[in-house]
Amino acid sequence: MHFITPRRTARTVRAAAVALAVTVPCVTLAESAQATAPRAKAQTALSETQSARVHGGHLVDLPVRGGTATVDTATLRVTARTGKGEVELSAPAATAPGKPGKVTVTADGARWTYPGSGLAVTARSEQGRLVVSVKSTGAADRTLSWPVTGTDRAVSAVQLPRGEGLSIPVGDAFWNSDRAQLVNSELDMSSALTMPLWGHTLGGRGGVSYLVPTDIGTSLRSVSDHGRLRTTATHRFSRGEGTTDYTVTFALTDGSPVAPAVDYRAWLKQHGQLGSLRAKIDAVPATKKLLGAFHAYTWGDARTAEGVKKLRALGVDRMWLGYDADDTPMDAAAVAAAKKAGYLVGPYDSFANGQDPKASDAPTSAWPDKVYPDFCVQGADGKPVPGFHDRGCYLSSEAFEKAEPTRHYLADRTKKMTANGADSYFLDVDAAGELFRDHSDAHPMDQARDRANRIARMKRLSGKNRLVLGSESAGAWSNQVLAFDHGSGTPVTDGLWKAQRDKEKWGGYTPAKAPGIFFKPAELPADVAKAMYDPAYRVPLFETALHDSLVNTERWELSYDKLPQQKTTRALLAMLYNTPLNFVLDGTSLQERGSELAALQKYFKPLHEAAGTQAMTDFRTLNTDRTVQRTVFGDGTLTVTANFGTKAHDGLPGGCVDAKLSGDKKPRRLCPADINQ
């Protein structure tokens, strides 16, 4: 199954230690969304008729929504003049690009070069944003550390999409310390963040959103500067890696902690890259069964037809059930029982790992013919890149794509895995963003090609095979091909991996029918718990951008019962964000805690059925300590208020959530602690 290993997590999410702070937005998301379209048109027209203005020989003015941006070509410092004064969007580049050439005004902006470093720059206005693109024209690899953000003294919070999303006050002592494991971390924007963005709140003066469409080859570093967080993006230009182009967009926002996600959602829509869960339901009707469903991986007796019937008898009428690809998968009778109960059911699989079939430790790592070792990704040293658990190798998506038209390795695997009638599929790793450059002469590829190959094969699974497809910790780039993901809801910090390595406290891979790593209750170290689950820092960036595109959950190994001290907080977050809880089930857990699952699912189902295909249109906090939070979905289809505190707020007790559908006369209340008992 998708067991965590120190090596894999170091590659995929080790650096993902970032967060955001929640402040009451000046403008609701609905208001922002309504204002975007007409104002974008007006701004586009303005940029077409009023091109860039150059003054002082090295200052370039460009109109943006909400003001005028100025790029200093001598240093790449970026400022903006707004109705509330001037703000610094980027300090001068941390790696000086050199002396700029003459600025040339173009039809849509301006361009200039840095002859000494082989960089060519264009700056333009587009849909109300400042868009700066840098191209490396030289043969040698080089880096550019820019933009340098959070430097304006008005900046009060930084937003970064680690997992679902967090928001951090830039002066917060915890996040400026080593305890939070954020400072001096290097976050790969294509794998350590779920979306290629970050943002800042400028106190009461609005905010700024930064998007990086060229996320491959780009990282984001956070440092503490005199007790205040600031961030610097670094892009590595490399012909071999296919990363010679680097683009950053800047947008002025209303300062809401989810404003960068509003901006990104608009960008995806403008570029035809925003998926639709409704469209996925139309294409594969079984996808509708995700609405109202919790997710669970099954073990032991829970994998049997009898186990499924026991779950249904508890009153659970919607579930996604998964099972490991071991020697005891769900058989046809169990799958039939699950489908009859109204559940989705599917196997765990991976196309990413290969081992010697004679010695493979997992069926998913055994392939026919000479897939292993011929399809292994080769590093720059010509050696295979070690695979899961440092066993075997990672398999090249390019090798599979070249072979698939004639050898059908992936199609045959899928057919075998779904011969029991499964209507869903979980494909580990593919959407997680750990992309590879393959140096093999037989199947060379860069990371962009790897990503394109993965999108293509995931599209075949959901399209040609009509399977309800999910994957691991989905990056936003996969939102058009996935119906669900496991993992992007969790803002992982490095301390989690350290905790998981303590098998005595966390549990290991035994017993086979209920591995401790999944089933044994565990306690997170205090700093890890604070970094991951303190509601004061949590914001729904992923849901703001993609709630109506795919269904998002927490990591599979962090089932609802795994972390007893976080159960109430996690239940409130799930209801507030309108996202499912995930579980692991065996015969014992079904008997002992099945009624708890059933009660939570009964509350969640009508809310998710009504709003699961709707956009999250508003998020705000209702008190100063950010413990009372509210979300809205659609045009008031669903409004949810969660109180993470200990004191009542406007009649809502601490530790409880109120949800109100548009036709409800009064809110529906859930107090998870009452059920958890």
Side-chain angles (χ1 to χ4, degrees), residues 164-330:
E164 176 62 64
L166 299 162
S167 185
I168 312 168
V170 294
D172 188 283
F174 171 72
W175 288 100
N176 277 273
S177 72
D178 293 338
R179 293 164 51 207
Q181 298 181 306
L182 169 64
V183 171
N184 297 322
S185 64
E186 197 82 24
L187 305 173
D188 188 318
M189 295 201 74
S190 68
S191 60
L193 300 178
T194 53
M195 297 179 286
L197 62 85
W198 73 101
H200 292 292
T201 299
L202 298 166
R205 297 170 59 190
V208 58
S209 165
Y210 305 88
L211 309 181
V212 183
T214 53
D215 57 331
I216 296 174
T218 307
S219 62
L220 192 66
R221 185 176 183 84
S222 297
V223 298
S224 180
D225 183 8
H226 295 90
R228 288 172 56 86
L229 295 172
R230 60 176 176 82
T231 51
T232 300
T234 297
H235 185 80
R236 180 172 179 261
F237 297 95
S238 170
R239 291 195 178 280
E241 298 287 351
T243 56
T244 56
D245 294 290
Y246 176 43
T247 296
V248 181
T249 77
F250 303 73
L252 299 176
T253 72
D254 63 9
S256 158
V258 293
V262 175
D263 182 31
Y264 183 53
R265 177 182 173 85
W267 187 93
L268 288 172
K269 202 167 186 178
Q270 291 156 5
H271 290 80
Q273 296 178 23
L274 181 64
S276 163
L277 190 57
R278 285 178 179 170
K280 293 167 189 175
I281 291 171
D282 290 341
V284 183
T287 306
K288 190 173 183 180
K289 291 192 285 185
L290 284 173
L291 299 178
F294 283 171
H295 294 230
Y297 271 96
T298 57
W299 302 78
D301 292 342
R303 287 188 185 176
T304 65
E306 188 61 31
V308 171
K309 292 174 184 176
K310 287 181 180 179
L311 182 61
R312 183 64 186 88
L314 290 169
V316 179
D317 58 356
R318 280 289 182 269
M319 284 294 292
W320 179 91
L321 296 181
Y323 52 91
D324 191 12
D326 56 19
D327 55 354
T328 57
M330 275 189 161

Side-chain angles (χ1 to χ4, degrees), residues 20 34 83 102 175 184 186 245 299 347 384 398 480 562:
L20 317 144
Q34 291 168 0
K102 183 180 178 181
W175 288 100
N184 297 322
E186 197 82 24
D245 294 290
W299 302 78
E398 181 71 4
Q480 292 178 285
K562 181 69 180 179

Side-chain angles (χ1 to χ4, degrees), residues 20-201:
L20 317 144
V22 185
T23 54
V24 180
C26 308
V27 183
T28 68
L29 299 192
E31 290 169 337
S32 296
Q34 291 168 0
T36 296
R39 290 167 69 184
K41 283 187 177 180
Q43 189 61 65
T44 301
L46 177 63
S47 66
E48 290 171 353
T49 58
Q50 183 183 341
S51 186
R53 184 175 75 93
V54 181
H55 55 101
H58 59 92
L59 300 175
V60 180
D61 287 351
L62 286 158
V64 293
R65 188 180 303 116
T68 300
T70 300
V71 182
D72 184 344
T73 66
T75 63
L76 283 181
R77 181 175 186 253
V78 183
T79 57
R81 296 189 302 279
T82 74
K84 296 183 178 181
E86 181 174 290
V87 295
E88 184 173 68
L89 306 186
S90 172
T95 51
K99 185 178 180 180
K102 183 180 178 181
V103 179
T104 301
V105 175
T106 62
D108 63 348
R111 58 182 171 85
W112 64 95
T113 63
Y114 296 98
S117 57
L119 299 177
V121 183
T122 62
R124 67 185 189 279
S125 298
E126 183 181 281
Q127 300 288 344
R129 302 179 188 89
L130 169 66
V131 182
V132 180
S133 296
V134 185
K135 185 178 184 65
S136 176
T137 60
D141 291 355
R142 66 185 72 250
T143 60
L144 176 65
S145 293
W146 175 89
V148 179
T149 71
T151 53
D152 193 289
R153 296 305 299 176
V155 170
S156 56
V158 57
Q159 290 92 37
L160 295 160
R162 187 185 71 177
E164 176 62 64
L166 299 162
S167 185
I168 312 168
V170 294
D172 188 283
F174 171 72
W175 288 100
N176 277 273
S177 72
D178 293 338
R179 293 164 51 207
Q181 298 181 306
L182 169 64
V183 171
N184 297 322
S185 64
E186 197 82 24
L187 305 173
D188 188 318
M189 295 201 74
S190 68
S191 60
L193 300 178
T194 53
M195 297 179 286
L197 62 85
W198 73 101
H200 292 292
T201 299

Side-chain angles (χ1 to χ4, degrees), residues 566-587:
Q566 280 73 43
K567 287 182 77 168
T568 292
T569 294
R570 295 173 78 192
L572 294 182
L573 285 169
M575 304 309 159
L576 182 68
Y577 295 170
N578 199 230
T579 55
L581 290 168
N582 65 352
F583 294 79
V584 289
L585 298 175
D586 67 345

Side-chain angles (χ1 to χ4, degrees), residues 400-418:
F400 273 124
E401 287 301 291
K402 284 187 172 184
E404 196 62 15
T406 57
R407 303 311 299 266
H408 317 304
Y409 292 121
L410 302 182
D412 289 348
R413 165 68 75 85
T414 303
K415 184 177 180 180
K416 178 181 178 182
M417 297 286 279
T418 57

Side-chain angles (χ1 to χ4, degrees), residues 6-17:
R7 184 181 174 281
R8 264 185 74 207
T9 53
R11 286 192 153 199
T12 54
V13 274
R14 171 181 295 174

